[in-house]
């Protein structure tokens, strides 16, 4: 096993009774998958350690595995404080990605859930140089969905006397460096005994005498009973040391540090590993665990009144709710689609610039790039309720009958509020709020708003596939009139780590972040047909339960993608749930 630094593995013990929305009792520390399987440690089988977390840092366009962690509840991760630090202090939360349910670092799996951080909480008395109080919590922006492969651990509840566990064998897990000093692709586990402070200090006074405190303990093998390398190493930091009592697992330690080998940064497998003693921090942890059970609540209380400006009782109309998505008629099926028109400053000609999504009769959500990237024109109007962009009257065959929609509403734009941190880094924070001068008439069947993920529950929804709807852009324009029609496709989700690897392999200088959603391109045609690309601002949607009804909810807006159609590169969408607080702060009466 290994660590990202010369620090050992931190353990987290948590015993919480969680009640999920389904009203089914959720218990901690219980394996749901029955399986039998760190340096020389054995490979852990899928589901064997469902509370383990992989933490990644985004460094210069590359997601790098940094540390382990442990699921405490649906939105809290326990880890080591040093796992959240850089040379400039605490890492920016936008540069950190948390993945749960991962058993392989380099192999994608639909069991994995990816989460962005909302708040990073480092213990207030953490001392970097002396490695004291090396413990931290990550509060997630969205709730974890528990599965057989993703479960919380129990916090230690058996007292904080170290003598109770001295001589006991715990299990440490992680993706840390293996016996070849390479980061392990597979999650590994190792059983190690806890030793007394005296034993630890006397084993190497120079390494431990000045650092070891009563809030730490040592564990490992130095007597040859089992392989000495069967322990934590670089990359295992932040992960837990776990103990089993009556088939329930508890976290007692968090990997903190080990002594490095001479003239290297790698751990010395002949030395003990030092753990932060979770039992000494239960009160501090408890101060940051709110809403046991992870019940869904609206985002930021101060914005609750703003939610009243959104049509939550009528949004996301699902006209064909009884049908499978791929068989639903497209016409009148997605009535929140908006086309942003750009007026040239010299000729005053108008052209379609990008797409946006109607969220109320006064507002749309779009992209910041659409307001900033065209210096020779200005966005002037929004077209709502369109289907065939080249016809003034839209009609189509629906279930064998011709159905026509009301005319398009073309409305003037009053203002555009682009996110203040747009393009920092490139294409990041690519989102804008568009306010209309006059209200859209949402009583028309072809003009309806989509729902926003305003509750914590909706923000927490993760899916392997998303719905996107767009008018296509052609690489080679032809006269075929079918290319002017609104189209729908189902896109497959790609996690941020795989997404960034694909972008980097193509030598593109764009950094995918945890506030974006990467989608595999699905719109390739045969060689005899045109390759169709979507407009910037194409909405990404899911059907969710809102106020007891099946409705469409907006989850993303297409921000950038490859210039050509290819499966080698993904389309990248701005994640709308990541910006819900900002959206609510900026909409007005």
């Amino acid at each position: 096993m290994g660590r990202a630094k010369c620090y050992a593995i931190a353990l987290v013990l948590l015993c919480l009774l969680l009640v999920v929305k389904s009203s089914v009792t959720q218990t901690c520390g219980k394996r749901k998958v029955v399986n039998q399987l760190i340096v020389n440690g054995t490979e852990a089988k899928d589901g064997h350690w469902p509370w383990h977390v992989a933490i990644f840092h985004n460094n210069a366009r590359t997601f790098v595995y940094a540390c382990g962690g442990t699921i405490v509840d649906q939105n809290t991760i326990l880890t080591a404080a040093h796992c959240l630090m850089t040379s400039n202090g605490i890492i920016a939360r936008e540069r950190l990605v948390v993945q749960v349910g991962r058993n392989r670092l380099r192999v994608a799996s639909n069991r994995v859930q990816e989460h962005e951080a909302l708040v990073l909480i480092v213990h207030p008395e953490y001392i970097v140089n002396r490695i004291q109080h090396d413990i931290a919590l990550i509060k997630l922006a969205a709730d974890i969905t528990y599965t057989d492969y993703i479960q919380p651990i129990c916090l230690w509840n058996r007292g904080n006397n170290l003598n109770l566990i001295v001589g006991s064998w715990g299990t440490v897990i992680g993706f840390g460096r293996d016996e070849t000093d390479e980061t392990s692709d597979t999650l590994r586990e190792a059983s190690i005994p806890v030793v007394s402070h005296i034993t630890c200090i006397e084993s190497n006074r120079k390494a431990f005498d000045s650092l070891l405190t009563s809030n730490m303990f040592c564990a490992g093998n130095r007597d040859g009973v089992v392989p000495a390398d069967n322990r934590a190493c670089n990359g295992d930091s932040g992960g837990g040391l776990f103990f089993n009592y009556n088939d329930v697992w508890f976290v007692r330690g968090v990997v903190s540090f080990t002594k490095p080998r001479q003239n290297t940064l790698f751990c010395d497998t002949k030395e003990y590993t030092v753990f932060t003693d979770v039992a000494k921090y239960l009160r501090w942890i408890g101060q940051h665990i709110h809403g046991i059970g992870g019940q869904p609540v609206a985002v930021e209380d101060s914005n609750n009144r703003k939610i009243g400006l959104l049509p939550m009782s009528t949004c996301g109309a699902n006209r064909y709710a009884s049908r499978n998505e791929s068989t639903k008629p497209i016409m009148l099926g997605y009535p929140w689609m908006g086309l942003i028109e750009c007026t040239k400053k010299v000729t005053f000609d108008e052209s379609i610039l990008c797409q946006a999504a109607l969220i109320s009769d006064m507002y749309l959500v779009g992209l910041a790039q659409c307001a900033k990237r065209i210096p020779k024109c200005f966005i002037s109007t929004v077209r709502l309720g369109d289907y065939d962009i080249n016809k003034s009257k839209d009609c189509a065959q629906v279930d064998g009958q011709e159905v026509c929609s009301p005319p398009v509403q073309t409305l003037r734009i009053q203002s555009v509020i682009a996110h203040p941190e747009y393009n920092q880094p490139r294409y990041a924070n690519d989102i804008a709020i568009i306010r209309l001068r006059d209200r859209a008439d949402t009583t028309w069947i072809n003009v309806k708003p989509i729902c926003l993920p305003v509750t914590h529950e909706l923000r927490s929804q993760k899916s392997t596939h998303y719905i996107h709807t767009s008018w296509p852009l052609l690489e080679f324009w032809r006269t075929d009139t079918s290319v002017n029609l609104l189209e729908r496709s189902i896109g497959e989700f790609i996690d941020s780590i795989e997404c960034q690897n694909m972008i980097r392999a193509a030598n593109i200088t764009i950094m995918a972040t945890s506030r974006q959603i990467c989608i595999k391109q699905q719109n390739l045609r045969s060689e005899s047909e045109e390759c169709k690309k979507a407009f910037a601002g194409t909405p990404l949607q899911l059907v969710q339960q809102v106020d007891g009804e099946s409705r469409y909810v907006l989850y993303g807006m297409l921000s950038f993608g490859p210039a050509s159609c290819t499966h080698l590169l993904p389309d990248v969408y701005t994640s709308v749930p990541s910006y819900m607080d900002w959206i609510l702060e900026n909409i007005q009466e």
Side-chain angles (χ1 to χ4, degrees):
M1 293 182 63
R3 295 173 321 139
K5 298 183 179 180
C6 292
Y7 299 152
I9 303 176
L11 299 182
V12 180
L13 306 177
L14 161 67
C15 188
L16 294 176
L17 186 64
L18 302 175
V19 181
V20 296
K21 186 174 183 287
S22 64
S23 298
V24 177
T25 299
Q26 171 66 52
T27 56
C28 59
K30 297 287 288 185
R31 288 172 173 161
K32 304 296 182 181
V33 178
V34 179
N35 279 324
Q36 306 300 327
L37 239 185
I38 290 189
V39 178
N40 285 342
T42 56
E43 293 185 357
K45 289 188 175 179
D46 287 354
H48 211 49
W49 304 104
W51 34 81
H52 186 71
V53 168
I55 298 172
F56 297 83
H57 291 181
N58 200 328
N59 299 325
R61 297 174 50 220
T62 302
F63 278 102
V64 177
Y65 172 75
C67 282
T70 306
I71 300 172
V72 172
D73 66 14
Q74 282 189 292
N75 62 13
T76 308
I77 303 300
L78 178 64
T79 189
H82 76 262
C83 290
L84 305 185
M85 305 302 292
T86 69
S87 58
N88 297 319
I90 299 177
I91 191 171
R93 65 182 179 88
E94 294 83 3
R95 289 181 51 205
L96 185 143
V97 167
V98 172
Q99 291 192 347
V100 297
R102 181 170 285 284
N103 200 62
R104 299 281 302 277
L105 277 184
R106 302 178 186 90
V107 178
S109 170
N110 57 14
R111 294 171 180 162
V112 175
Q113 293 176 30
E114 181 173 284
H115 292 268
E116 65 175 291
L118 180 64
V119 181
L120 305 180
I121 306 171
V122 173
H123 194 280
E125 298 180 67
Y126 171 60
I127 302 174
V128 176
N129 294 334
R130 291 190 55 81
I131 321 175
Q132 306 232 355
H133 307 289
D134 190 13
I135 190 169
L137 298 172
I138 302 171
K139 302 297 289 187
L140 303 178
D143 280 354
I144 293 168
T145 299
Y146 292 143
T147 69
D148 286 352
Y149 299 89
I150 301 170
Q151 292 289 312
I153 191 62
C154 290
L155 286 176
W156 190 261
N157 68 349
R158 308 174 73 84
N160 61 12
N161 189 333
L162 182 61
N163 291 329
L164 294 176
I165 60 169
V166 170
S168 298
W169 290 66
T171 303
V172 63
I173 58 176
F175 291 105
R177 294 184 182 272
D178 59 19
E179 54 273 11
T180 66
D181 285 337
E182 297 293 331
T183 299
S184 173
D185 175 58
T186 304
L187 186 64
R188 288 185 163 200
E189 62 181 58
S191 295
I192 55 176
V194 177
V195 300
S196 68
H197 276 60
I198 294 177
T199 299
C200 187
I201 292 171
E202 289 184 345
S203 71
N204 191 325
R205 287 189 175 275
K206 184 177 180 180
F208 300 119
D209 192 18
S210 62
L211 294 177
L212 199 62
T213 71
S214 61
N215 293 324
M216 308 171 183
F217 66 84
C218 299
N221 303 297
R222 301 184 80 249
D223 57 8
V225 175
V226 292
D229 331 353
N230 200 9
R231 63 180 68 241
C233 194
N234 302 68
D236 292 323
S237 288
L241 182 65
F242 307 104
F243 294 84
N244 186 296
Y245 296 97
N246 298 320
D247 290 328
V248 177
W249 288 90
F250 296 83
V251 59
R252 176 68 190 251
V254 173
V255 178
S256 180
F257 72 92
T258 59
K259 178 184 177 298
R261 298 198 300 270
Q262 188 173 7
N263 300 323
T264 75
L265 296 177
F266 298 145
C267 67
D268 188 339
T269 57
K270 297 179 181 179
E271 300 287 350
Y272 289 118
T273 295
V274 178
F275 294 81
T276 301
D277 191 345
V278 175
K280 305 295 176 60
Y281 295 91
L282 293 178
R283 179 172 296 182
W284 176 76
I285 294 172
Q287 293 172 355
H288 300 286
I289 298 176
H290 303 293
I292 293 177
Q295 292 299 303
V297 295
V299 295
E300 299 297 331
D301 291 342
S302 60
N303 284 326
N304 283 353
R305 62 183 182 84
K306 293 292 191 71
I307 296 176
L309 301 179
L310 301 173
M312 296 305 296
S313 61
T314 58
C315 62
N318 192 352
R319 183 177 175 86
Y320 308 103
S322 62
R323 299 192 183 188
N324 181 278
E325 194 67 35
S326 61
T327 65
K328 292 178 181 179
I330 296 176
M331 184 173 175
L332 301 178
Y334 308 93
W336 39 84
M337 303 294 294
L339 288 166
I340 305 298
E341 294 181 316
C342 173
T343 300
K344 294 181 179 179
K345 295 179 180 179
V346 178
T347 63
F348 294 100
D349 293 335
E350 292 184 339
S351 59
I352 297 172
L353 181 60
C354 54
Q355 291 183 202
L358 188 70
I359 61 171
S360 75
D361 60 0
M362 285 297 292
Y363 284 97
L364 295 94
V365 171
L367 298 181
Q369 63 172 279
C370 293
K372 294 177 176 288
R373 70 179 181 178
I374 309 296
K376 295 183 179 181
C377 75
F378 59 92
I379 60 174
S380 54
T381 54
V382 177
R383 288 165 59 179
L384 299 173
D386 215 339
Y387 172 66
D388 186 333
I389 58 179
N390 280 356
K391 290 184 179 179
S392 58
K393 183 178 181 179
D394 289 336
C395 296
Q397 289 291 315
V398 177
D399 296 332
Q401 296 183 349
E402 185 177 61
V403 175
C404 297
S405 68
V408 171
Q409 296 181 33
T410 302
L411 302 172
R412 291 177 297 171
I413 293 173
Q414 176 175 305
S415 61
V416 178
I417 303 173
H419 195 282
E421 297 179 14
Y422 165 62
N423 230 19
Q424 303 174 27
R426 188 181 180 193
Y427 283 115
N429 305 304
D430 189 9
I431 192 167
I433 300 171
I434 301 164
R435 182 180 172 94
L436 300 174
R437 187 179 299 273
D438 301 302
R439 294 183 184 274
D441 189 344
T442 57
T443 64
W444 292 20
I445 195 171
N446 62 334
V447 178
K448 303 287 183 183
I450 192 171
C451 297
L452 288 178
V454 296
T455 66
H456 194 68
E457 180 185 32
L458 289 174
R459 289 178 67 174
S460 300
Q461 293 301 312
K462 305 288 182 180
S463 179
T464 58
H465 292 82
Y466 290 82
I467 308 155
H468 39 110
T469 46
S470 175
W471 289 269
L473 293 172
L474 294 182
E475 292 199 38
F476 303 99
W477 286 94
R478 297 186 181 180
T479 57
D480 182 359
T481 58
S482 66
V483 302
N484 305 315
L485 303 179
L486 181 66
E487 293 187 352
R488 170 195 59 230
S489 58
I490 309 298
E492 181 180 348
F493 171 78
I494 304 172
D495 69 52
S496 294
I497 314 305
E498 182 182 357
C499 179
Q500 188 61 66
N501 289 339
M502 295 170 70
I503 292 173
R504 189 176 68 255
N507 200 30
I508 298 175
T509 56
I510 293 173
M511 183 173 70
T513 73
S514 60
R515 307 187 85 181
Q516 294 165 326
I517 300 173
C518 295
I519 298 294
K520 182 181 296 184
Q521 289 193 35
Q522 300 289 315
N523 55 355
L524 298 186
R525 302 293 193 265
S526 66
E527 293 183 359
S528 62
E529 295 181 288
E530 296 90 350
C531 172
K532 298 182 180 181
K533 292 287 294 175
F535 274 96
T538 293
L540 202 62
Q541 305 136 109
L542 285 177
V543 175
Q544 300 289 322
Q545 287 295 308
V546 180
D547 283 350
E549 295 184 10
S550 177
R551 306 188 193 178
Y552 288 92
V553 180
L554 182 66
Y555 280 88
M557 308 293 293
L558 179 59
S559 180
F560 65 87
S564 303
C565 291
T566 173
H567 283 313
L568 299 178
L569 284 170
D571 285 325
V572 181
Y573 291 73
T574 298
S575 172
V576 171
S578 299
Y579 296 91
M580 270 312 309
D581 293 343
W582 180 80
I583 292 172
L584 292 174
E585 288 168 3
N586 285 281
I587 61 175
Q588 306 296 330
E589 295 284 353

